[in-house]
């Protein structure tokens, strides 16, 4: 399957190293005889939050805009990786999982 996740621009290198090399080197970002394969797209994330939230960055009542990277990686079928907040600096973690098929 394909996993899509987001990383803050400044934390992208740490996130990639942790996931690709330390935590899941046999599951993530391998495609045939290639390894550490990813589509990395820079972008801007926009968000606001409630008074009880504990965001990594930002000020309550102010619409936030941060540099982010969208990362698309292939993951083998032996299990879905758990990308915890300890690796990614978000209070609410959003991952997209897409099933891949040969057609």
């Amino acid at each position: 399957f394909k996993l899509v996740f987001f990383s803050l621009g400044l934390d992208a290198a740490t996130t990639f190293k942790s996931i690709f090399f330390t935590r899941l080197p046999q599951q993530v970002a391998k495609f045939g005889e290639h390894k550490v394969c990813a589509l990395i797209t820079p972008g801007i994330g926009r968000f606001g939050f409630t008074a009880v939230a504990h965001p990594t960055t930002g000020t309550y009542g102010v619409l936030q805009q941060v540099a982010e990277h969208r990362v698309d990686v292939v993951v083998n079928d032996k299990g879905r990786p758990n990308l915890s907040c300890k690796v990614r600096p978000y209070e609410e973690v959003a991952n997209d999982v897409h099933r891949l098929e040969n057609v």
Side-chain angles (χ1 to χ4, degrees):
F1 58 92
K2 181 172 76 170
L3 174 68
V4 179
F5 64 92
F6 299 89
S7 177
L8 289 173
L10 298 176
D11 294 322
T14 301
T15 302
F16 303 154
K17 181 179 177 183
S18 176
I19 295 169
F20 296 152
F21 299 114
T22 306
R23 297 183 68 205
L24 302 161
Q26 299 304 314
Q27 288 181 279
V28 177
K30 293 183 87 175
F31 192 75
E33 295 303 315
H34 301 277
K35 61 181 183 177
V36 194
C37 303
L39 174 63
I40 303 167
T41 309
I44 301 294
R46 294 183 63 105
F47 62 93
F49 48 87
T50 67
V52 297
H54 301 286
T56 302
T57 185
T59 304
Y60 172 68
V62 177
L63 184 61
Q64 308 302 308
Q65 183 170 304
V66 296
E68 289 187 310
H69 289 93
R70 173 188 162 133
V71 181
D72 294 59
V73 295
V74 173
V75 179
N76 71 25
D77 291 331
K78 293 182 181 176
R80 293 185 176 164
N82 177 16
L83 301 176
S84 71
C85 290
K86 292 178 183 176
V87 173
R88 297 180 42 243
Y90 293 116
E91 184 178 17
E92 299 292 334
V93 179
N95 297 323
D96 298 332
V97 178
H98 304 272
R99 187 170 124 184
L100 302 176
E101 296 183 15
N102 292 326
V103 290

